[in-house]
């Protein structure tokens, strides 16, 4: 065996995004023990920072030791017991994954299907909630498979009205658009580090309300997932009366998350949201100038995940391969019914800069022209520039 030397890529797919040099440097700091007093002080800083980031001052906020999908699994496995009823809004691939996990927890799952690319509609959900007593309503805030944004506030209010707890997937939204857990009155909200936070994959920040914690502590059966059982996990992360060993924390990964949070707060949360919006507006203007479209209603599009419609007659995989080979630029393919129909282009975290926008427009136009679709890179850049200079 020899040391692995990864190629230098520019990450503009659906995640991971580029990791900032300061976060990479933090990852290389000396490893200490997971019960070391200095590390425990770091844990407390991370918990407080996540409460601030989620706007969840009354929630328990911890980073789970696994990627963002672990947040979804933890939410379903902790809240749901066999026989519980769960209503899941499905408007893309990750709503469908939520339904799968809820069923694996033993719940009776009712899915409310939406057209992919559309936001979750409260009017479609209410009949399902009114039909029978429901333990959990789950939905995706920022659907990574389609680039659609849903409004959590009315959905959480609807769940409260019908006595249900809420699970909100914010894997792609946290750090890129406003996440307001307290304002939404949401119960369990989870995310990942590899998107708008610009840290490597491997941690899943999660926030749990007091109602959710009570539901978990009052379970009749043990949680089916041992590592992510909050009744056990919080004995380590809770910090009250001394920490109990539960697992060996991913110490260096937590250094990286901490540094990513420091960087985000230095920039300012609102400034980061404005930056993501501005990069999206510039990118969209460049696409429009060469006849390309983004999927969905502009009012419900995510700035950080752009679902670009593949023009007729263009082989989408060939374009992705060409930009990777020529520019070392990664963009993503569509999933499910959108496979072959869209490219998923991320403007997330450290990948949401004017340089990234200019590079991606140039590379995409060159690749499209090679595939027979006339796309003038100079026209795209000229259309984007006023937004980038604003």
């Amino acid at each position: 065996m020899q040391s692995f030397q990864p190629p230098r890529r520019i990450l503009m797919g659906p995640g991971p995004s580029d990791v900032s040099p300061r976060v990479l440097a933090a990852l290389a700091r000396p490893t200490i023990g997971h019960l070391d007093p200095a590390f425990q002080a770091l844990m407390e800083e991370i918990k407080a920072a996540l409460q601030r980031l989620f706007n969840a001052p009354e929630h328990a906020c911890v980073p789970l030791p696994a990627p963002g999908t672990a947040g979804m699994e933890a939410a379903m496995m902790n809240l749901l017991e066999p026989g519980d009823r769960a209503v899941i809004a499905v408007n893309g691939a990750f709503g469908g994954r939520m339904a799968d996990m809820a069923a694996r927890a033993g719940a009776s799952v009712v899915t409310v299907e939406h057209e992919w690319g559309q936001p979750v509609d409260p009017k479609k959900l209410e009949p399902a909630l009114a039909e029978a007593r429901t333990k959990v309503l789950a939905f995706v805030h920022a659907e990574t498979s389609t680039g659609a944004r849903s409004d959590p506030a009315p959905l959480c209010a609807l769940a409260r009205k019908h006595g249900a707890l809420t699970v909100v997937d914010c894997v792609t939204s946290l750090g890129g658009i406003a996440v307001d857990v307290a304002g939404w009155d949401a119960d369990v909200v989870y995310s990942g580090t590899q998107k708008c936070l610009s840290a490597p994959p491997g941690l899943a920040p999660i926030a749990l309300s007091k109602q959710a914690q009570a539901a978990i502590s009052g379970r009749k059966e043990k949680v089916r997932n041992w590592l992510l059982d909050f009744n056990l996990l919080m004995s380590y992360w809770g910090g009250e009366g001394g920490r109990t060993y539960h697992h060996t924390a991913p110490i260096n990964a937590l250094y990286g998350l901490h540094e990513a949070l420091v960087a985000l707060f230095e920039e300012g949360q609102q400034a980061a949201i404005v930056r993501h919006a501005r990069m999206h507006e510039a990118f969209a203007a460049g696409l429009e100038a060469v006849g390309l479209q983004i999927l969905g209603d502009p009012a419900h599009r995510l700035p950080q995940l752009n679902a670009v419609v593949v023009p007729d007659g263009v082989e989408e995989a060939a374009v992705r391969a060409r930009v990777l080979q020529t520019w070392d630029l990664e963009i993503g393919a569509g999933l499910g019914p959108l496979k072959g129909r869209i490219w998923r282009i991320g403007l997330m975290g450290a990948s949401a800069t004017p340089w990234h926008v200019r590079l991606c427009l140039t590379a995409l136009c060159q690749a499209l022209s090679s595939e027979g679709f006339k796309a003038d890179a100079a026209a795209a850049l000229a259309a984007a520039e006023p937004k980038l200079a604003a």
Side-chain angles (χ1 to χ4, degrees):
M1 292 181 69
Q2 295 181 338
S3 297
F4 176 65
Q5 298 297 330
R8 177 67 177 93
R9 302 295 196 203
I10 301 151
L11 301 179
M12 296 188 68
S17 61
D18 283 350
V19 177
S20 71
R22 63 187 289 181
V23 171
L24 291 174
L27 293 166
R29 291 171 185 161
T31 303
I32 58 177
H34 63 284
L35 293 174
D36 188 296
F39 185 69
Q40 293 189 35
L42 181 77
M43 291 169 67
E44 291 303 308
E45 284 196 18
I46 290 173
K47 286 162 57 180
L50 290 178
Q51 286 181 315
R52 177 180 171 188
L53 182 60
F54 277 117
N55 189 33
E58 301 300 321
H59 286 57
C61 296
V62 298
L64 300 175
T69 301
M72 182 188 294
E73 183 160 318
M76 297 305 179
M77 293 299 173
N78 277 271
L79 290 180
L80 292 169
E81 297 188 69
D84 285 341
R85 187 173 189 266
V87 173
I88 316 290
V90 178
N91 66 330
F94 295 94
R97 186 175 294 183
M98 280 180 150
D100 186 357
M101 288 190 183
R104 289 168 186 254
S108 173
V109 178
V110 177
T111 59
V112 180
E113 302 287 341
H114 294 66
E115 182 182 349
W116 282 40
Q118 295 299 312
V120 176
D121 184 353
K123 294 179 181 178
K124 287 187 176 182
L125 289 179
E126 182 143 35
L129 288 166
E131 185 178 4
R133 183 179 178 182
T134 300
K135 179 74 170 292
V136 165
L137 169 64
F139 60 91
V140 178
H141 179 212
E143 180 51 77
T144 317
S145 63
T146 68
R149 175 201 320 219
S150 296
D151 184 358
L155 301 174
C156 291
L158 187 62
R160 282 278 181 258
K161 174 182 173 183
H162 291 279
L165 298 167
T166 46
V167 173
V168 188
D169 182 311
C170 289
V171 169
T172 296
S173 53
L174 190 66
I177 56 176
V179 171
D180 185 3
V181 173
W184 298 339
D185 193 21
D187 289 301
V188 179
V189 179
Y190 60 86
S191 188
T193 50
Q194 74 275 20
K195 307 227 179 191
C196 295
L197 299 185
S198 289
L203 294 171
I206 193 166
L208 295 96
S209 70
K210 288 182 169 59
Q211 294 96 323
Q213 294 174 64
I216 295 166
S217 63
R219 288 175 61 97
K220 298 173 184 175
E221 298 186 5
K222 287 184 178 181
V223 175
R224 294 186 175 188
N225 186 311
W226 188 92
L227 177 63
L228 304 178
D229 180 346
F230 283 111
N231 290 318
L232 302 175
L233 190 69
M234 292 309 293
S235 66
Y236 175 59
W237 273 97
E240 295 178 7
R243 288 185 167 84
T244 302
Y245 166 71
H246 174 256
H247 68 283
T248 302
I251 293 152
N252 291 63
L254 289 163
Y255 295 168
L257 172 58
H258 183 272
E259 190 66 24
L261 294 169
V262 170
L264 179 59
F265 293 141
E266 284 178 358
E267 180 182 8
Q269 287 176 255
Q270 187 58 36
I273 290 169
V274 170
R275 171 170 55 86
H276 282 86
R278 188 162 60 90
M279 294 308 103
H280 164 74
E281 290 168 2
F283 187 60
L287 295 175
E288 184 178 350
V290 294
L292 297 175
Q293 298 178 330
I294 297 177
L295 183 73
D297 184 338
H300 303 296
R301 288 179 190 159
L302 294 171
Q304 65 270 48
L305 195 288
N306 297 266
V308 180
V309 178
V310 177
D312 292 339
V314 171
E315 173 52 53
E316 70 85 16
V319 170
R320 283 188 292 110
R322 187 174 290 275
V323 298
L324 184 65
Q325 181 179 17
T326 306
W327 297 87
D328 284 322
L329 173 64
E330 178 188 280
I331 61 175
L335 300 175
L338 295 178
K339 184 177 181 180
R341 295 176 51 199
I342 63 168
W343 296 292
R344 292 184 298 152
I345 299 179
L347 294 168
M348 297 189 236
S351 297
T353 73
W355 182 85
H356 284 84
V357 171
R358 294 184 185 109
L359 178 75
C360 190
L361 287 172
T362 302
L364 193 59
C365 286
Q366 183 190 79
L368 282 166
S369 296
S370 298
E371 291 296 311
F373 180 87
K374 188 176 181 180
D376 183 353
L381 293 171
E385 202 58 40
K387 300 288 186 181
L388 296 175

